[in-house]
Amino acid sequence: MKLVVAIVRPEKLNDVLEALFRAEVRGLSISRVQGHGGETERVETYRGTTVKMELSEKVRLEIGVSDHFVEPTVRAILASARTGEVGDGKIFVLPVEKVYRIRTGEEDTAAVTPVG
Amino acid sequence: MKNLRLPLFLLGSLGGLALAEDPAMSAADTAWMLTATGLVLLMTPALAFFYGGLVRSKNVLNTMMMSFSALGFVGVAWALLGYTLALSGEGNFIGDLRYALLSNVGLENKGAIASITIPHLLWMVFQGTFAIITAALVSGAIVERMRFPAFLLFITLWSLVVYAPIAKWVWGGGFLADLGAWDFAGGTVVHINAGIAALVAALVLGPRKDFGRQAILPHNVPFVLLGAAFLWLGWFGFNAGSAWAANATAGLALANTILAPAATLVVWSLLELSRTGRVTAVGLATAIVVGLVVITPAAAFVAPIYALAMGALGAFPSYFALLWRAKSGLDDSLDVFAAHGVAGMAGAVLTGVFAQESVNGLFNGLIGGNPAQVFVQAFAVLIAVVYSAGMTFLLLKLVGALIPLKALPKEEGLGMDVTQHGEEAYTSGEGAILVRSEAPRPSAQPKPVGGTD
């Protein structure tokens, strides 16, 4: 099993979710994060106080998948999250030691396989 | 606002003895109109909250600033030119320049086109608050995508070439007034006009990039309710202030301004209950506005019991227009057409149904035995619709030829607050680095290690 962690633009989240569901990837969590990936800085001004916003709003997706699902998952995210501008995000694929499904106690591949 | 032709006509028919008689300045009327002017002005910030709550959080400042900027841009345009175009002279279509740059607008109650008992200058600004809210209303159709500079140019010119002439026709003794069409506080001039302009603007600008592709939900429904509350409060100045006096007419207008939206709220709730089983907060806020729009042209022309009827009946066309719009490909983003255009038309026609001379002392509608009034009202609506649609279209094409109207899809994605204004509504300030000088400092900031994508 692998854990796919993707950092994407918030405005692309809907597209990414759509692409994942179309690829039949159903188990995932998202969180709102702030990060810096080398984008051009945004300059904002509040009554004469000018600031450079170094952190941008991003969304982090965490998806536990069985090995043969890694490829479709990554492809779906790559295709749907891309705008071509700096700041599109990253995908990390991490090894996973052990997975349990809490409801049934199933382990590993069974635990990350969606219920039919 | 009263039909100006009637007092003038009456004065004429009474012969020479009445003509010289000018009403005296009234302290009571002036006190009420000072208050009413403030109330109507408050409607525009209220609208900012109403609209601001309905958009996504990345666009809330942009949306609210569209209303707030009207306070300045349309306010100045009105004082310099709009007022004289709308409310001066004997012309049937447009005013002359006698009040341009505020010349001949004094503190006496003389010199205005209408017979008033308050300072002319106060009357001018009271009328100005109507121009401001009308222009601000249009913004609801083009939020989340129109570039801000283009919007500013558009509404400033719009208040002069669309609002001012229609105000002249209806309130300035123009040809719609001659025809016998009645609009007490601005159903046609303000709401139908804004609703139609909004519809045209939505069509010219085209939809938002996310429209129809993903759910676009209101980011702050309490803001919407707050806006509706202050719109209702401000509307007392709008309708009861349109009596231009602290008198029985104002009392009737205010009572009707409470009763009609109350009836709309009840009917809207029942419609929602019967269709979905649930009454929604955004639905009720919308119902209040719809009821207010419906009663506006009739506020002091109909008996209170018929104000209730108008509010109740007025719920239906707007409710079903909203349902239709949501399914259509039309991105009138905040439903200005359904809430103001459709309700404005319903109100204008229902005014022709429920008006009674025994109540208003001026004219009868259908129930007073004058069915022709319905058609006169409908004809005035048609004229306003055609002119507003045509001129708004031409104006947007003109502005679009000078500067781009629409933000790029990428800018829409990032949000209009950041791309148009360089501000965010809800920022934690994390990651914000103080810039001490405005001079560009290339690569002064060290990039975090490993983060140089």
Side-chain angles (χ1 to χ4, degrees), chain A residues 34 42 44 46 50 52 54, chain B residues 422 424 430-431 433 435 438:
Chain A
Q34 293 191 308
R42 293 195 320 278
E44 300 185 356
Y46 299 86
T50 302
K52 278 185 184 171
E54 293 284 348
Chain B
E424 290 171 80
E430 284 166 5
I433 291 165
V435 177
E438 295 290 333

Side-chain angles (χ1 to χ4, degrees), chain B residues 259-268 271 290-291 294 305-317 350:
Chain B
L259 295 173
T264 314
L265 194 156
V266 170
V267 171
W268 201 282
L271 279 170
V290 167
V294 167
I305 191 71
Y306 294 121
L308 286 170
M310 282 183 71
L313 290 172
F316 291 92
L350 290 173

Side-chain angles (χ1 to χ4, degrees), chain B residues 46-62:
Chain B
L47 185 73
F49 275 90
F50 190 89
Y51 281 174
L54 286 171
V55 297
R56 292 169 290 181
S57 58
K58 63 183 177 181
N59 298 315
V60 56
L61 294 180
N62 178 248

Side-chain angles (χ1 to χ4, degrees), chain B residues 29 67 88 122 177 187 210 216 248 316 364 366 369 408 431 438 443 452:
Chain B
D29 293 349
S67 292
S88 75
L122 174 58
D210 295 336
I216 301 176
F316 291 92
N364 267 320
L366 177 67
L408 301 170
E438 295 290 333
S443 69
T452 53

Side-chain angles (χ1 to χ4, degrees), chain B residues 23-173:
Chain B
M25 179 86 87
S26 157
D29 293 349
T30 303
W32 162 234
M33 293 309 290
L34 289 167
T35 310
T37 304
L39 287 171
V40 185
L41 193 76
L42 178 71
M43 288 170 69
T44 299
L47 185 73
F49 275 90
F50 190 89
Y51 281 174
L54 286 171
V55 297
R56 292 169 290 181
S57 58
K58 63 183 177 181
N59 298 315
V60 56
L61 294 180
N62 178 248
T63 301
M64 295 184 78
M65 282 175 70
M66 285 184 170
S67 292
F68 270 82
S69 59
L71 292 166
F73 282 83
V74 178
V76 170
W78 178 260
L80 298 182
L81 194 55
Y83 174 60
T84 194
L85 292 179
L87 297 167
S88 75
E90 301 302 315
N92 265 328
F93 298 97
I94 193 80
D96 53 34
L97 294 178
R98 74 181 68 179
Y99 307 130
L101 310 182
L102 293 184
S103 48
N104 304 314
V105 181
L107 291 174
E108 302 275 293
N109 64 325
K110 297 174 184 62
I113 193 171
S115 166
I116 50 175
T117 56
I118 63 173
H120 185 184
L121 185 66
L122 174 58
W123 197 67
M124 185 280 294
V125 284
F126 175 73
Q127 301 291 353
T129 57
F130 284 65
I132 291 167
I133 181 79
T134 310
L137 282 169
V138 180
S139 71
I142 47 80
V143 292
E144 301 198 305
R145 62 194 182 286
M146 189 167 187
R147 289 180 64 251
F148 200 64
F151 174 76
L152 294 178
L153 184 58
F154 167 62
I155 51 153
T156 308
L157 294 175
W158 189 86
S159 73
L160 297 175
V161 305
V162 181
Y163 180 84
I166 296 182
K168 172 68 180 164
W169 303 346
V170 178
W171 292 334

